[in-house]
Amino acid sequence: MAENKGQSRTARRQQQKKSKKSRKSNKPTWKKVLKIFLIIMLAMLVIGIGVGAYWIATAPDIDEEKLTVPFSSTLLDKNGEQFAELSAEERRTQVTYEDLPDVLIDAVTATEDARFFDHAGVDPRRVGGAILANVTDGFGSQGASTITQQVVERAFLTPDKKVSIKVQEMWLALKLEREYTKEEIMEMYLNSIFYGSQAYGVANAAETYFGKTDLNDLTLPEAAILAGLPQRPSAYNPYENPELTKERMNTVLTLMVRHGKITEEEAEEARQVEVTSLLNESKPDPTPYEAFIQQVRKEVEAKVEDANIDTDGLKIHTTIDPDAQEHVESLLANDGNSINYPENTQGAIVVLDTQSGAIEAIGGRVDTGDVSGFNYATQGKMQIGSVAKPLLAYGPAIEYNQMSTYHQINDDGPFEIDGSSPIQNYGQYHGWVSARYAVQMSLNVPAAKTIESVGYENAQTFAENLGQTFDYNLDVRDVIGGTRNHSNPMKMAGAYRAFGNEGIYNEPYAVTKVEFPDGRTIDLTPEAEPVMEDSTAYMVTDMMRSVVEDGTGSSVQIPGLDIAGKTGTTTLDGAEGSPDAWFVGYTTDYTIAAWTGGQRINENGGVSRVALTDTSLSREMFRQTMAHISEGNDTASFEKPDSVAEVKVEKGSNPPALASDYTPSEQTLTELFVKGTEPTSVSEKFDQLDAVSGLNATYNEDSNSIDVSWDYESDDDVSFDVRASVNGGDMQDLSSTEDTSMEISEVEAGAEYVIEVTASNGNLTSEPATTSVTVPGEDEEEEIDEIPSVSGLSAQYVGDGVIDVSWSYDGPSASFEVNVNGQTQTVQSQGLEVTGASPGEYTIEVTPVSSDDSEITGPPQSTSTTVPDESGGDGEGNGNGEGNGNDEGNSDEDNSGDGTPEDENEDSGDGNPEDETGDSGEEN
């Protein structure tokens, strides 16, 4: 204070001013922050109200027609042609609120919207819970849609999880509640929902699943099933997945208890009911391509959030080949037109495009007339047997260990497993075998040794990269497909397809893109990626070619197609037979997985595995399908990549050795190696000895034999293999001797012998030495170019209309052409009788004809004779034997035209004089 009193007034004022400024600057900053925050919030509120108002203003109008009629979705095949329309129009039965029993309404509201009858279309409590969940777990993690909101979303909006869509949904729900009663909204909801099995609306669903046309007949378990189905109609379909259906039913029953709709005792009683016992005895007729459409539905539901292909009016582009699909459906029809499936036999088949992985056809099950709609091709969980071997043993071994197709594995007996029974082959054991042979003949022990050498972690990684999943850790039995790990035809086709596509894999797909009514398009084609080296893919393929060419899959061969594939069967514990039989194979165009399984439906509706009556049917399914879809195609063969070396190795060499120039062809194998790992050393097992020298062969006339001799100068302990051919024929083994000479006895006169001598010592041989010798022949007959005439030709009438003709002949073998008054007959004898001769003059000419060559004839000789009239005159003529044909008997020219002897053999038909000397002996 003393200091202040000493200050001037001006100084005190300045000090007070500074003090006020100081106090002013010391005010807290939080007020500033709060003020700024409030301003921002106000601005955001204003902006939010504006944006919200815009979203509300742009919301669609409520269209009463859309509230009752869902949009149809169109499915297009791979060529862009429509093949199906998923529409509810022909399969809906409208009900009114009065038709709905309380048990159904209670089940639906407890499950979908417990305060449905209390809120105005939007449930603030559910909205608050959803906002909290979306903040903690991300936007879209949980919805808050009431039944009213579901109605407007399905009718007017897209399934996108956007704030704008959610605002419009709530606004339209509030509007709908103002224009319609709760009862009308419940009708809209239950009449438009899709329940699976092509059932639209609750009335159609009750009839489809339970055979009930009056909803008041529904029991509590049935109402609970219907209330739970709309969330996932395909997954909860009781025909296909009764276990999942029961789980969902139990969830609904629990919700009904929680919301006071039923007691715990009522719920527990309902839980005891078996779902299969409630189902209609006859399943609805399947729609065309049903198995494929199931896959389409599955992909759209998984890849397009909140999309409903039954009600959203989508245009879905698929990969189906209608011709292939119709074929596999016909194949599984079990109508006697293709394959006859024995009792208790199920089957499934999948066809993929090898290059792209596009699904071209799906056959989901054999038509056995039961009510199940289970799709074994995509939903099945089967043991896969030996089709696991390329995935878990040989593929990984090539990929990680660079194993060759020749790699030697000792198939020496059962593969022992600690604490368990050993793995055995079906049949004998083969000692050291190549990996190729082990695959070709599907040997179990080599496969077990291979997966053990490559490691279970590598094996599982390799298979998982090919789309396989494992519920349990791998053990050695997985390589023969006999554990609790399972697969199905879709997964197996996808995995094998990568082997035929240079190691490139993507998940099989049925949908390429989806178009929405508002013009948006979503591309669903998966990205492909390499999952193995192209060398691995080709080498596995080449080994599986051997399966088809000369192994367990030889029955699937199709002329002109380069096919690789693998068979597989499984076993039953404690019983004979195979409950599963597989064939998975591919060309460069198509990949097909075919499965058959022994399945018996029990009295309680359960399924038991039983042994198949015929394990060859899966191979026949593959063969018929591949032949059909490949017909008319120019299918390329598999092409070896540069990363693979193809070399000739000597059979039995271990480690592998190249075949030498002297390795016999039957001991030479062509095998594949990852380039850079092929053998470089040449086998010395087969070498070449020096050839024999001085080989000589001479004919020994005294013994009618050929004496053969040769020289050999070597200290080696050798023997000599002697072979010979006769007149250019095949070489025949004659002898193996340690001497340097031998005799070939009883040789053929006039034949040329080529003689070959080879030195040998165990596996070693020499080049053959060769010589030839011709055995002298017997004196050859002179070639005949002419023959003599007959001699002593005479003709004499002997009475009773008979002329006796005879002659002599001294020459080569011949027959004789006899001409009597222009009628000719050939005889082998040296005479004949002309019978039935009427009076008149007869001229007889005889010409010899060579038996070796009918073109060679001797000079003709002739004679004549006269047959007297009834007065009895004899006539006799004689030839002079000199070929002049002069007749020394009398000639009556006036009667010459009447002198033809009568032919008494009416059956001969040739009019020639009858030769009656044929049985009397011929003189030659």
Side-chain angles (χ1 to χ4, degrees), residues 351-363:
V351 180
L352 303 183
D353 182 316
T354 300
Q355 303 302 313
S356 68
I359 303 169
E360 303 228 336
I362 303 174

Side-chain angles (χ1 to χ4, degrees), residues 329-366:
E329 291 187 2
S330 173
L331 193 72
L332 296 172
N334 205 20
D335 55 7
N337 292 326
S338 181
I339 294 177
N340 290 320
Y341 298 89
E343 186 179 7
N344 298 328
T345 300
Q346 260 304 335
I349 188 168
V350 170
V351 180
L352 303 183
D353 182 316
T354 300
Q355 303 302 313
S356 68
I359 303 169
E360 303 228 336
I362 303 174
R365 60 182 291 107
V366 172

Side-chain angles (χ1 to χ4, degrees), residues 46-102:
V46 172
I47 293 172
I49 292 173
V51 173
Y54 171 76
W55 287 337
I56 290 173
T58 56
D61 294 329
I62 291 181
D63 184 341
E64 183 175 0
E65 183 178 353
K66 292 181 179 179
L67 289 170
T68 57
V69 181
F71 289 104
S72 301
S73 289
T74 302
L75 275 61
L76 308 180
D77 66 19
K78 71 175 186 178
N79 300 315
E81 299 294 329
Q82 179 176 327
F83 71 89
E85 183 178 37
L86 303 182
S87 170
E89 277 302 286
E90 297 180 0
R91 292 182 293 275
R92 281 192 304 123
T93 301
Q94 293 283 351
V95 295
T96 64
Y97 188 81
E98 288 71 22
D99 298 323
L100 303 174
D102 289 341

